[in-house]
Amino acid sequence: MSEADTEYQVAVVGGGPAGLTTALYTTRLGHDTVLIDRGGGRAAMMQETHNVIGITEEVSGNELIQTAKRQIESYGADTVRGLVSDIHGSSGSYRLDVGEETYTADRVVLATGFSDDRPEPPLPRTGRGLHYCLHCDAYMFIDESVYVMGTNESSAHVAMIMLNFTDEVDLLLRGEEPEWSEETDRQLRAHPVDVIEAEITGMNTDQDGWLNSFEFEDGTTREYKGGFPMFGAEYHAELARCST
Ligand SMILES: Cc1cc2nc3c(=O)[nH]c(=O)nc-3n(C[C@H](O)[C@H](O)[C@H](O)COP(=O)(O)OP(=O)(O)OC[C@H]3O[C@@H](n4cnc5c(N)ncnc54)[C@H](O)[C@@H]3O)c2cc1C
């Protein structure tokens, strides 16, 4: 690849929906654009796509990404598979390190997303009883038995929110102490959420891999269709600290 091939007006780092949309706009606004993505982000984890207008449910995240990638390439954007390990320079003149290659760009857009923190196993498969996106997946659990996992403020609030979809909501502490505030505790006690303190020791799934039930260290077994772990997220913001 010649040096001229790696000089762009805009470099977009991250090829999930945010980065792909950015590259679509910059390219169609006439800016020479490269999109650099290492793959495997949150969108790639979508087995089915819920709640995106114009996209039917059976479209997977990977299919959505591949279609969008072909779309931006058809407008003239370049796409590169790789990890941007560092960015040097300042506005108007950036250098991006991608393996052995260096790309230059006048402007850089970071669309690097975040990763959900996963609780310890045993856990069902993502999308088969383990869900991270409330607005995408809560609709799947109308009148079903649901768990929320965690000890923080978010877990308590999500448990109460889930009562809009079903009467059967358990909040699983997994042997840890709750960390939510007294006010949240008061609200939680006023709602019909069962707080289960015991750690999970086992799990049962059906032949399609969907969660059936969790077994607990106090010897009980509780049935669930699915649920939401609330353990926080890690934002991929390291590249925002640009080296000179
Ligand atoms: C299991 C699951 C199911 C979901 N289902 C739905 C759904 O049905 N409907 C819905 O609307 N939303 C859903 N979501 C949420 C949706 O996936 C996110 O809102 C969306 O993917 C966010 O897009 P993004 O572009 O910000 O981040 P991401 O999709 O995470 O994309 C970021 C990209 O940047 C890349 N990247 C990060 N750092 C670097 C680097 N240094 N160099 C190169 N590349 C880098 C990552 O590898 C990744 O490819 C779901 C999320 C999960 C986890």
Side-chain angles (χ1 to χ4, degrees), residues 38 41-42 111-118 132 230-239 241:
R38 69 174 176 200
R42 289 184 95 230
T112 44
F114 66 84
S115 306
D116 301 282
D117 289 338
R118 284 172 71 88
Y132 289 98
M230 302 302 302
F231 286 73
E234 185 198 339
Y235 285 78
H236 305 141
E238 318 80 45
L239 291 174
R241 290 184 211 91

Side-chain angles (χ1 to χ4, degrees), residues 88-191:
H88 314 265
S90 56
S91 183
S93 174
Y94 290 104
R95 281 181 298 119
L96 295 85
D97 296 338
V98 184
E100 301 291 303
E101 302 285 347
T102 299
Y103 293 81
T104 63
D106 303 337
R107 298 283 185 275
V108 174
V109 179
L110 298 180
T112 44
F114 66 84
S115 306
D116 301 282
D117 289 338
R118 284 172 71 88
E120 294 295 316
L123 291 173
R125 274 177 52 202
T126 303
R128 292 284 177 272
L130 185 71
H131 303 261
Y132 289 98
C133 177
L134 198 65
H135 76 264
C136 313
D137 291 352
Y139 176 87
M140 297 164 74
F141 300 118
I142 292 171
D143 294 333
E144 300 284 357
S145 181
V146 165
Y147 69 84
V148 177
M149 216 180 259
T151 55
N152 55 21
E153 284 287 327
S154 304
S155 52
H157 286 281
V158 166
M160 291 185 273
I161 290 168
M162 283 309 297
L163 291 170
N164 290 295
F165 297 88
T166 173
D167 294 338
E168 295 177 65
V169 181
D170 287 357
L171 181 47
L172 311 183
L173 302 186
R174 302 198 58 174
E176 303 290 332
E177 290 295 317
E179 297 162 290
W180 52 74
S181 68
E182 282 181 24
E183 170 58 17
T184 299
D185 197 61
R186 193 187 59 72
Q187 290 176 14
L188 196 57
R189 286 172 197 282
H191 286 77

Side-chain angles (χ1 to χ4, degrees), residues 25-46:
Y25 274 79
T26 56
T27 305
R28 288 190 53 108
L29 288 169
H31 304 298
D32 194 17
T33 298
V34 62
L35 177 136
I36 308 168
D37 182 50
R38 69 174 176 200
R42 289 184 95 230
M45 294 172 70
M46 290 162 28

